[in-house]
Amino acid sequence: MARRRLPPPPASDEAAMTPDLETKALFPMGLTPGFSRPPVARVAAESAAEAALREVSGELAALRAEGRMVLRLPLEAVEEGWLIRDRLGADPEELAALTDSLRAHGQRTPIEVAELAPGRYGLISGWRRMVALRALAGEDARFASVLALVRAPETSAEAYVAMVEENEIRAGLSYWERARVVVRAVAGGVFASDRVALQRLFASASRARRSKIGSFMALVQALDGVLRFPAALPERLGLKLAAALAADPALPGRLAAVLAQADPQDASAEQAALARALAGPKAPPAPPARSEIAPGLWAEQGRDGRLVLGGAALDAARIARLQDWLKADLATE
């Protein structure tokens, strides 16, 4: 019986990992296939990873610079008074509705800010959202931050334009509030003149609307600090006040005296006082026209249909005869 040859024992792990002579000839530095990457390949892979990282970082930086990246910022990092706000206040009911929505669903629309310094931002738009979030932060720490788009306006003028445009789209401002931001921006040196500011801030508005804002600008300049409820001033009454102001430069002083005496406690009372001041004191009724019937006898026709007779010639006898004549005349009808 032929002798069976046993198979060779399996190579140990160490033996399997030992390169043979042929492999050593091909890879003289001991870098065998399957164990480590050749230096050229490793450097190439690292360079590619660094390039990809730089590309991603560049894209993120570009998105941030273009204001297309939403960041989460602490509320304390946002300065709401960086710009002179065009909105004088928020309607309590509208603010309550916004607060309830944020509480239930969170912030859906980011605010807009400009980076003032590392970690500090100036508010461009979203003032009502900031007010609501600050109120909610006292209830829940989840609302201690705000979602924001970081804009990069080149000038203060561009920041003001962005604020006005956002508010024009989202919520209608009163004509007083529109005019006030124009006046304040010019006073702050943001724009060279009223005309330039009006054209830049409300470039998309119709000519008629810009004209009305211009009329209210005169009111802001003359009555800011005099009116207690200026944002509630209706368009029609405001335009009447502007026309009266143009005709009478002394009007602001008289209006201030009228309002001080009236002491209005709400917008309706203030507007009623302004309307009375514009109307002026009521003229006394004109006396009835008097006509002379004969020497010493005159007649006067009253507004309520009465006829009044008088004069030295109207004695008792003449009155008696007049009464008899009227009775006879009425009897024939």
Side-chain angles (χ1 to χ4, degrees), residues 77-134:
V78 181
E79 298 181 13
E80 298 170 39
W82 175 58
L83 297 179
I84 299 171
R85 310 313 307 175
D86 51 358
R87 189 184 301 279
L88 291 180
D91 181 88
E93 293 185 2
E94 293 180 358
L95 186 58
L98 175 59
T99 304
D100 290 341
S101 176
L102 289 171
R103 183 185 292 110
H105 308 292
Q107 183 186 356
R108 292 173 171 172
T109 305
I111 64 171
E112 293 181 327
V113 298
E115 188 170 16
L116 307 179
R120 300 301 303 169
Y121 301 86
L123 180 66
I124 296 177
S125 64
W127 178 79
R128 292 192 306 164
R129 274 161 280 169
M130 284 293 298
V131 171
L133 284 171
R134 288 192 188 281

Coordinates of all heavy atoms in Angstrom, one line a residue, residues 77-134:
A77 N -26.4 88.5 22.1 CA -25.5 88.9 21.1 C -26.0 89.9 20.1 O -25.3 90.4 19.3 CB -24.9 87.7 20.4
V78 N -27.3 90.1 20.1 CA -28.0 90.9 19.1 C -28.4 92.3 19.7 O -29.1 92.3 20.7 CB -29.2 90.2 18.5 CG1 -29.9 91.1 17.5 CG2 -28.9 88.9 18.0
E79 N -27.9 93.4 19.1 CA -28.2 94.7 19.5 C -29.4 95.3 18.7 O -29.2 95.5 17.5 CB -27.0 95.6 19.4 CG -25.8 95.2 20.2 CD -24.6 96.1 20.0 OE1 -24.8 97.2 19.5 OE2 -23.5 95.8 20.5
E80 N -30.5 95.4 19.4 CA -31.7 95.8 18.7 C -31.7 97.3 18.3 O -32.4 97.7 17.4 CB -33.0 95.4 19.5 CG -33.1 94.0 19.8 CD -34.2 93.7 20.8 OE1 -35.2 94.3 20.8 OE2 -34.0 92.8 21.6
G81 N -31.0 98.1 19.1 CA -31.0 99.5 18.8 C -29.8 99.9 17.9 O -29.5 101.1 17.8
W82 N -29.3 99.0 17.2 CA -28.2 99.4 16.3 C -28.7 100.4 15.2 O -28.0 101.4 14.9 CB -27.6 98.1 15.6 CG -26.5 98.4 14.6 CD1 -25.4 99.1 14.8 CD2 -26.5 98.0 13.2 NE1 -24.7 99.2 13.6 CE2 -25.4 98.5 12.6 CE3 -27.4 97.3 12.4 CZ2 -25.0 98.3 11.3 CZ3 -27.1 97.1 11.1 CH2 -25.9 97.6 10.5
L83 N -29.8 100.1 14.6 CA -30.4 101.1 13.7 C -31.6 101.8 14.4 O -32.2 101.2 15.3 CB -31.0 100.3 12.5 CG -30.0 99.6 11.6 CD1 -30.7 99.0 10.4 CD2 -28.9 100.6 11.0
I84 N -31.9 103.0 14.0 CA -33.1 103.7 14.4 C -34.3 102.9 13.9 O -34.5 102.9 12.6 CB -33.1 105.1 14.0 CG1 -31.9 105.9 14.6 CG2 -34.4 105.8 14.5 CD1 -31.7 107.2 14.1
R85 N -35.1 102.3 14.7 CA -36.2 101.5 14.2 C -37.3 102.3 13.6 O -37.6 103.4 14.0 CB -36.8 100.7 15.4 CG -35.8 99.9 16.3 CD -34.8 99.1 15.5 NE -35.3 98.2 14.5 CZ -34.6 97.5 13.7 NH1 -33.3 97.6 13.7 NH2 -35.1 96.7 12.9
D86 N -37.8 101.8 12.5 CA -38.9 102.5 11.8 C -40.2 102.2 12.5 O -41.2 102.9 12.4 CB -39.0 102.1 10.4 CG -39.0 100.6 10.1 OD1 -38.9 99.8 11.1 OD2 -39.1 100.1 9.0
R87 N -40.3 101.1 13.3 CA -41.5 100.7 14.0 C -41.5 101.3 15.4 O -40.6 101.0 16.1 CB -41.7 99.2 14.0 CG -43.0 98.7 14.5 CD -43.1 97.2 14.7 NE -42.8 96.6 13.4 CZ -43.7 96.4 12.4 NH1 -44.9 96.8 12.6 NH2 -43.3 95.8 11.3
L88 N -42.5 102.1 15.7 CA -42.6 102.7 17.0 C -43.0 101.8 18.1 O -42.7 101.9 19.3 CB -43.5 103.9 17.0 CG -43.0 105.1 16.2 CD1 -44.0 106.3 16.2 CD2 -41.7 105.6 16.7
G89 N -43.8 100.8 17.8 CA -44.3 99.8 18.8 C -45.0 98.7 18.0 O -45.1 98.6 16.8
A90 N -45.4 97.7 18.8 CA -46.1 96.5 18.3 C -47.5 96.5 18.8 O -47.7 96.8 20.0 CB -45.4 95.3 18.6
D91 N -48.5 96.2 17.9 CA -49.8 96.0 18.4 C -49.9 94.8 19.4 O -49.4 93.8 19.1 CB -50.7 95.7 17.2 CG -52.2 95.5 17.5 OD1 -52.9 96.5 17.6 OD2 -52.6 94.4 17.8
P92 N -50.5 95.1 20.6 CA -50.5 94.0 21.6 C -51.1 92.7 21.1 O -50.6 91.6 21.4 CB -51.3 94.6 22.7 CG -51.2 96.1 22.5 CD -51.1 96.3 21.0
E93 N -52.2 92.8 20.4 CA -52.8 91.5 19.9 C -51.9 90.8 18.9 O -51.8 89.6 18.9 CB -54.2 91.9 19.3 CG -55.2 92.4 20.3 CD -56.6 92.6 19.6 OE1 -56.7 92.3 18.4 OE2 -57.5 93.0 20.3
E94 N -51.3 91.6 18.0 CA -50.4 90.9 17.0 C -49.2 90.3 17.6 O -48.8 89.2 17.3 CB -50.0 92.0 15.9 CG -51.2 92.4 15.0 CD -50.7 93.5 14.0 OE1 -49.5 93.8 14.0 OE2 -51.5 93.9 13.2
L95 N -48.7 91.0 18.6 CA -47.5 90.5 19.3 C -47.8 89.3 20.1 O -47.1 88.3 20.2 CB -46.9 91.6 20.2 CG -45.6 91.3 20.9 CD1 -44.5 90.9 19.9 CD2 -45.1 92.4 21.8
A96 N -49.0 89.3 20.7 CA -49.5 88.1 21.5 C -49.6 86.9 20.6 O -49.2 85.8 20.9 CB -50.8 88.4 22.2
A97 N -50.2 87.1 19.4 CA -50.3 86.0 18.4 C -49.0 85.5 17.9 O -48.8 84.3 17.8 CB -51.2 86.5 17.2
L98 N -48.0 86.4 17.7 CA -46.7 86.0 17.3 C -46.0 85.2 18.4 O -45.4 84.1 18.2 CB -45.8 87.2 16.9 CG -44.4 86.9 16.6 CD1 -44.3 86.0 15.4 CD2 -43.7 88.3 16.3
T99 N -46.2 85.6 19.6 CA -45.6 84.9 20.8 C -46.2 83.5 20.9 O -45.4 82.5 21.1 CB -45.8 85.7 22.1 OG1 -45.3 87.0 21.9 CG2 -45.1 85.0 23.2
D100 N -47.5 83.4 20.8 CA -48.1 82.1 20.8 C -47.6 81.2 19.7 O -47.4 80.0 20.0 CB -49.6 82.2 20.8 CG -50.2 82.9 22.0 OD1 -49.5 82.9 23.0 OD2 -51.3 83.4 21.9
S101 N -47.4 81.7 18.5 CA -46.9 80.9 17.4 C -45.5 80.4 17.7 O -45.2 79.2 17.4 CB -47.0 81.7 16.1 OG -46.4 81.0 15.0
L102 N -44.7 81.3 18.2 CA -43.3 80.9 18.5 C -43.3 79.8 19.6 O -42.5 78.9 19.5 CB -42.5 82.1 18.9 CG -42.1 83.1 17.8 CD1 -41.5 84.4 18.3 CD2 -41.2 82.5 16.7
R103 N -44.1 80.0 20.6 CA -44.1 79.1 21.7 C -44.6 77.7 21.2 O -44.0 76.6 21.6 CB -45.1 79.5 22.8 CG -45.2 78.6 24.0 CD -46.2 79.1 25.0 NE -45.9 80.3 25.6 CZ -46.6 81.5 25.4 NH1 -47.6 81.5 24.5 NH2 -46.2 82.6 26.0
A104 N -45.5 77.6 20.3 CA -46.1 76.4 19.8 C -45.2 75.7 18.7 O -45.0 74.5 18.7 CB -47.5 76.6 19.3
H105 N -44.6 76.5 17.8 CA -44.0 75.9 16.6 C -42.5 76.3 16.5 O -41.8 75.8 15.6 CB -44.7 76.4 15.4 CG -46.1 76.1 15.4 ND1 -46.7 74.9 15.3 CD2 -47.2 77.0 15.4 CE1 -48.0 75.0 15.3 NE2 -48.3 76.2 15.4
G106 N -42.0 77.2 17.4 CA -40.6 77.6 17.3 C -40.5 78.7 16.2 O -41.5 79.1 15.6
Q107 N -39.3 79.1 16.1 CA -39.0 80.2 15.1 C -38.9 79.6 13.7 O -38.0 78.8 13.4 CB -37.7 81.0 15.5 CG -37.4 82.1 14.6 CD -36.1 82.8 14.9 OE1 -35.4 82.4 15.8 NE2 -35.7 83.7 14.1
R108 N -39.7 80.1 12.8 CA -39.7 79.5 11.4 C -38.9 80.5 10.5 O -38.4 80.0 9.5 CB -41.1 79.3 10.9 CG -41.8 78.2 11.7 CD -43.3 78.2 11.3 NE -44.0 77.0 11.8 CZ -45.3 76.8 11.7 NH1 -46.1 77.7 11.1 NH2 -45.8 75.7 12.2
T109 N -39.0 81.8 10.8 CA -38.3 82.7 9.9 C -37.2 83.4 10.6 O -37.4 84.0 11.7 CB -39.4 83.8 9.4 OG1 -40.5 83.2 8.8 CG2 -38.7 84.8 8.4
P110 N -36.0 83.4 10.0 CA -34.8 84.0 10.7 C -34.9 85.5 10.7 O -35.5 86.1 9.8 CB -33.6 83.4 10.0 CG -34.2 83.1 8.6 CD -35.6 82.7 8.8
I111 N -34.3 86.1 11.7 CA -34.1 87.6 11.6 C -32.9 87.9 10.7 O -32.2 87.0 10.3 CB -33.9 88.1 13.0 CG1 -32.6 87.6 13.6 CG2 -35.1 87.8 13.9 CD1 -32.2 88.3 14.9
E112 N -32.6 89.1 10.5 CA -31.5 89.5 9.7 C -30.6 90.4 10.6 O -31.1 91.3 11.3 CB -31.9 90.3 8.4 CG -32.6 89.4 7.4 CD -33.0 90.2 6.2 OE1 -33.3 91.4 6.3 OE2 -33.0 89.6 5.1
V113 N -29.3 90.2 10.6 CA -28.4 90.9 11.4 C -27.1 91.3 10.6 O -26.9 90.7 9.5 CB -28.0 90.1 12.7 CG1 -29.2 89.9 13.6 CG2 -27.3 88.8 12.3
A114 N -26.4 92.2 11.1 CA -25.1 92.5 10.5 C -24.0 92.3 11.6 O -24.3 92.6 12.8 CB -25.0 94.0 10.1
E115 N -22.9 91.7 11.3 CA -21.9 91.5 12.3 C -21.1 92.8 12.6 O -20.5 93.4 11.7 CB -20.9 90.4 11.8 CG -19.9 89.9 12.8 CD -19.1 88.7 12.4 OE1 -19.1 88.4 11.2 OE2 -18.5 88.1 13.3
L116 N -21.2 93.2 13.8 CA -20.5 94.4 14.2 C -19.1 94.2 14.7 O -18.2 95.0 14.5 CB -21.3 95.1 15.4 CG -22.8 95.3 15.1 CD1 -23.5 96.0 16.3 CD2 -23.0 96.2 13.8
A117 N -18.9 93.1 15.4 CA -17.6 92.6 15.9 C -17.7 91.1 16.2 O -18.8 90.6 16.2 CB -17.3 93.4 17.2
P118 N -16.6 90.5 16.4 CA -16.8 89.0 16.7 C -17.7 88.8 17.9 O -17.5 89.2 19.0 CB -15.3 88.6 17.0 CG -14.5 89.6 16.3 CD -15.2 90.9 16.3
G119 N -18.8 88.1 17.6 CA -19.7 87.7 18.7 C -20.8 88.8 18.9 O -21.6 88.6 19.8
R120 N -20.8 89.9 18.2 CA -21.7 91.0 18.4 C -22.4 91.3 17.0 O -21.7 91.4 16.0 CB -21.1 92.3 18.9 CG -20.4 92.1 20.2 CD -21.4 91.7 21.3 NE -22.5 92.6 21.5 CZ -23.6 92.3 22.2 NH1 -23.6 91.1 22.8 NH2 -24.6 93.1 22.3
Y121 N -23.7 91.4 17.1 CA -24.5 91.6 15.8 C -25.5 92.7 16.0 O -26.1 92.9 17.1 CB -25.2 90.3 15.5 CG -24.3 89.1 15.3 CD1 -23.9 88.4 16.4 CD2 -23.8 88.8 14.0 CE1 -23.0 87.3 16.2 CE2 -22.9 87.8 13.8 CZ -22.5 87.0 14.9 OH -21.7 86.0 14.7
G122 N -25.8 93.5 15.0 CA -26.8 94.5 15.0 C -28.0 94.1 14.2 O -27.9 93.5 13.1
L123 N -29.2 94.3 14.8 CA -30.4 93.9 14.2 C -30.8 94.8 13.0 O -30.8 96.0 13.1 CB -31.5 94.0 15.2 CG -32.9 93.5 14.7 CD1 -32.9 92.0 14.4 CD2 -34.0 93.8 15.8
I124 N -31.0 94.1 11.9 CA -31.5 94.8 10.7 C -33.1 94.7 10.6 O -33.8 95.6 10.5 CB -30.9 94.2 9.4 CG1 -29.4 94.5 9.4 CG2 -31.5 94.8 8.1 CD1 -28.6 94.0 8.3
S125 N -33.5 93.4 10.6 CA -35.0 93.2 10.6 C -35.3 92.0 11.5 O -34.5 91.2 11.7 CB -35.4 92.9 9.1 OG -34.8 91.7 8.7
G126 N -36.6 92.1 11.9 CA -37.1 91.0 12.8 C -37.3 91.5 14.3 O -37.2 90.7 15.2
W127 N -37.5 92.8 14.4 CA -37.7 93.4 15.7 C -38.8 92.7 16.6 O -38.6 92.4 17.7 CB -37.9 94.9 15.6 CG -38.1 95.6 16.9 CD1 -37.2 96.0 17.8 CD2 -39.4 95.9 17.5 NE1 -37.7 96.5 18.9 CE2 -39.1 96.5 18.8 CE3 -40.7 95.8 17.1 CZ2 -40.1 97.0 19.6 CZ3 -41.7 96.3 18.0 CH2 -41.4 96.9 19.2
R128 N -39.9 92.5 15.9 CA -41.0 91.9 16.7 C -40.7 90.4 17.1 O -41.0 90.0 18.2 CB -42.3 91.9 15.8 CG -42.9 93.2 15.6 CD -44.3 93.1 15.0 NE -44.3 92.3 13.8 CZ -45.4 91.8 13.3 NH1 -46.6 92.1 13.9 NH2 -45.4 91.1 12.2
R129 N -40.0 89.7 16.3 CA -39.6 88.3 16.7 C -38.6 88.4 17.8 O -38.7 87.6 18.7 CB -38.9 87.6 15.5 CG -39.9 87.0 14.5 CD -39.3 86.7 13.2 NE -39.3 87.9 12.4 CZ -38.6 88.0 11.2 NH1 -37.9 87.0 10.8 NH2 -38.7 89.2 10.5
M130 N -37.7 89.4 17.9 CA -36.8 89.5 19.0 C -37.6 89.8 20.3 O -37.3 89.3 21.3 CB -35.8 90.6 18.7 CG -34.7 90.2 17.7 SD -33.6 88.9 18.3 CE -32.9 89.8 19.8
V131 N -38.6 90.7 20.2 CA -39.3 91.1 21.4 C -40.1 89.8 21.9 O -40.1 89.6 23.1 CB -40.3 92.2 21.0 CG1 -41.3 92.4 22.2 CG2 -39.6 93.5 20.7
A132 N -40.7 89.1 21.0 CA -41.4 87.9 21.4 C -40.5 86.8 22.0 O -40.8 86.2 23.0 CB -42.2 87.3 20.2
L133 N -39.3 86.6 21.4 CA -38.4 85.6 21.9 C -37.8 86.0 23.3 O -37.6 85.2 24.1 CB -37.2 85.4 20.9 CG -37.6 84.6 19.6 CD1 -36.5 84.7 18.6 CD2 -37.9 83.2 20.0
R134 N -37.6 87.3 23.5 CA -37.1 87.7 24.8 C -38.1 87.5 25.9 O -37.8 87.1 27.0 CB -36.7 89.2 24.7 CG -35.4 89.5 23.9 CD -34.9 90.9 24.2 NE -33.8 91.2 23.3 CZ -32.6 90.9 23.4 NH1 -32.2 90.1 24.5 NH2 -31.6 91.2 22.6

